[in-house]
Amino acid sequence: MAEPSKAILEGFITRGDVGKSIGERSGYDKPGKNDRNKPTDWAKHVDGVVIQAEWAILEPEDGVYDFQLIEDALNDIKDYNEANDVNLGAKLRVFAGQYSPDHILDNPDIGSTYVAYAEVGKGRDGNLPHFWKDAFLDKYKALHQALAEEFDAKPEDDEDHVRNEILREISITACMMKSADMHRAENGDNYVDRVDGLTNIGVLMSAGLTFEEDFSCQKKQINIVANAWENTWVSVARAHFNDYSNHAGIAPPEGEKLTEDWPLAKDKMRKIVNVCRKNDNCIIGNNSLEHKETKDNNAAFFDDTNAIYYVAQNYLKEGKKKAPVYFQTVVKVQSDEDDNETKLHRVIESAMEASDVRMIELPTLKALKQYKDGYLSGNKMQAVRNELKK
């Protein structure tokens, strides 16, 4: 398969100040809309937006699709581009997991399991489909085939297809829990507070999830989405195979840590990255770029015991010293209370030194505004943005 005909997303992308509760996660940052909670004229200082959509919104009934949210977003961006002579792009991230429609969660061939999180009252607790089942992946494949039929085609002269050029990247999100990452959840979310005494991972294991089933799902989801989209780039966040703390759900003695964590499996992470690299339209990414990964002269990027290594390295992308990657970051804009300098741009600069990163998904516009209205448009951030696009 040749590289996509659409341009790759480069520079800064905004993720949308939307809620994370079930039923509230769909949305996007609308360019041109005045919002006192976002930096002034923010759309002039970025290169695209992420369109977030819950699967339940896009397929309210089995096999019946409603893509109005995506159409509206692309048309809003198109209108803004034409009015301002710019070229903002878009990335689509469809949230599965607890955000899947009821006909998926209630499907007896798929099954679902209740999961709960430490963030009490955040509205994320709910039923999680058994994403490792072939029946689930078949439904996920059908969704992407329907999306691609509508939005993947090369842009034509007629108005209905001009929008397709704007949608340049699709997130791969089948094998997920809570977020769009490959990892299941942070350690703090796998806490034992259920009546059955199991963590989320423990209860999913009792429903049939195994390490090998998970590994298989990671590989299958990449090929499913990469094969569905011919002209559009696809991307996937690397695996966190070492994040299953206390996966058996047995509370350890106070002050001790169980040793039977889900294995780091470096060879498995490398194989998953290679599955992406073998598809010429696939970009590997990292959804948690933080200061700790760029300190100490970017040591994490060159340490094969660190998961971020498997994003930065080349592997099977022949003919290139590096292959394109993206990073998402929620790093705090300010280093600490005693530091008048900001660190967000420094973290991005460090990542650029250690990898061929082309695109950064920024912290929320609200977070940037709360720090300083002019930070995004300032010289330091805009210099980083321009360097990304080189």
Side-chain angles (χ1 to χ4, degrees):
M1 180 184 294
E3 286 192 354
S5 60
K6 298 181 186 179
I8 194 170
L9 277 175
E10 296 178 318
F12 288 163
I13 309 297
T14 77
R15 277 183 289 148
D17 293 311
V18 299
K20 297 181 180 180
S21 298
I22 297 172
E24 299 179 4
R25 190 132 203 191
S26 299
Y28 59 97
D29 290 310
K30 184 174 180 178
K33 179 181 179 181
N34 294 325
D35 190 333
R36 60 184 178 85
N37 293 316
K38 299 178 181 180
T40 304
D41 293 332
W42 63 266
K44 296 179 180 179
H45 308 295
V46 300
D47 304 282
V49 303
V50 173
I51 304 168
Q52 301 188 73
E54 298 181 33
W55 186 353
I57 299 295
L58 302 182
E59 191 181 356
E61 298 179 38
D62 192 4
V64 177
Y65 301 103
D66 182 355
F67 299 150
Q68 192 64 50
L69 168 69
I70 302 170
E71 293 176 10
D72 289 346
L74 295 177
N75 285 328
D76 283 341
I77 297 169
K78 176 175 69 67
D79 292 344
Y80 181 85
N81 286 347
E82 293 173 351
N84 295 274
D85 193 26
V86 293
N87 189 28
L88 293 182
K91 175 176 184 173
L92 174 63
R93 178 170 287 128
V94 177
F95 288 91
Q98 306 96 297
Y99 306 99
S100 301
D102 287 341
H103 60 81
I104 296 292
L105 300 175
D106 297 337
N107 187 322
D109 294 327
I110 297 173
S112 62
T113 296
Y114 181 79
V115 293
Y117 296 105
E119 298 171 320
V120 178
K122 295 295 184 180
R124 293 186 180 184
D125 296 0
N127 279 17
L128 183 81
H130 297 159
F131 53 81
W132 59 92
K133 297 286 189 69
D134 285 340
F136 174 85
L137 291 171
D138 288 343
K139 295 291 187 181
Y140 187 76
K141 179 179 179 179
L143 170 68
H144 275 276
Q145 288 176 332
L147 285 165
E149 184 176 351
E150 184 69 25
F151 300 109
D152 183 53
K154 291 183 179 180
E156 301 171 1
D157 293 334
D158 59 285
E159 195 72 13
D160 289 341
H161 288 82
V162 171
R163 68 186 184 196
N164 285 357
E165 183 69 15
I166 294 171
L167 186 59
R168 300 181 200 165
E169 186 176 321
I170 309 298
S171 289
I172 302 171
T173 56
C175 314
M176 62 162 278
M177 183 168 129
K178 182 183 177 184
S179 300
D181 300 7
M182 281 181 170
H183 69 259
R184 307 284 72 84
E186 292 85 359
N187 290 344
D189 294 323
N190 280 328
Y191 67 118
V192 182
D193 73 337
R194 308 165 57 106
V195 293
D196 50 18
L198 295 175
T199 63
N200 289 337
I201 299 306
V203 75
L204 290 173
M205 290 175 66
S206 68
L209 177 64
T210 66
F211 180 85
E212 289 302 326
E213 289 277 10
D214 187 43
F215 176 54
S216 177
C217 184
Q218 310 294 351
K219 294 185 293 182
K220 288 177 180 177
Q221 69 167 357
I222 294 172
N223 288 328
I224 284 172
V225 181
N227 289 332
W229 296 85
E230 178 181 353
N231 300 300
T232 310
W233 292 88
V234 303
S235 62
V236 65
R238 51 77 172 169
H240 292 233
F241 275 125
N242 60 331
D243 277 1
Y244 285 92
S245 178
N246 186 19
H247 71 254
I250 304 170
E254 185 175 355
E256 295 184 18
K257 185 177 185 297
L258 294 180
T259 58
E260 59 269 85
D261 289 346
W262 208 270
L264 175 60
K266 294 187 294 183
D267 63 318
K268 295 292 194 300
M269 281 197 286
R270 176 169 181 161
K271 287 177 180 177
I272 287 173
V273 172
N274 285 345
V275 172
C276 176
R277 293 284 187 239
K278 286 180 179 179
N279 290 283
D280 287 336
N281 61 340
C282 187
I283 303 167
I284 198 74
N286 171 278
N287 281 4
S288 59
L289 180 66
E290 299 177 5
H291 176 63
K292 66 182 180 181
E293 285 152 340
T294 61
K295 68 179 182 180
D296 299 328
N297 297 319
N298 282 337
F301 285 82
F302 306 99
D303 176 4
D304 71 356
T305 66
N306 192 300
I308 204 169
Y309 171 90
Y310 297 88
V311 176
Q313 299 306 308
N314 177 29
Y315 296 134
L316 298 181
K317 197 71 171 181
E318 297 178 359
K320 297 182 180 180
K321 292 183 179 179
K322 297 179 180 179
V325 304
Y326 83 88
F327 291 113
Q328 179 189 100
T329 179
V330 293
V331 68
K332 291 183 179 179
V333 182
Q334 191 172 5
S335 298
D336 55 60
E337 294 180 356
D338 298 324
D339 187 356
N340 291 324
E341 292 293 318
T342 55
K343 73 174 184 179
L344 176 59
H345 63 273
R346 296 203 298 264
V347 170
I348 299 172
E349 286 172 339
S350 296
M352 287 192 292
E353 292 175 359
S355 68
D356 192 20
V357 57
R358 306 285 186 87
M359 184 266 280
I360 296 287
E361 289 187 34
L362 296 170
T364 64
L365 290 171
K366 183 183 295 185
L368 292 171
K369 172 76 172 186
Q370 287 175 342
Y371 171 67
K372 185 188 296 184
D373 182 65
Y375 177 62
L376 175 61
S377 60
N379 291 336
K380 291 180 179 179
M381 282 294 282
Q382 290 303 299
V384 169
R385 174 193 172 200
N386 290 331
E387 189 66 25
L388 282 167
K389 295 192 289 183
K390 288 182 180 180

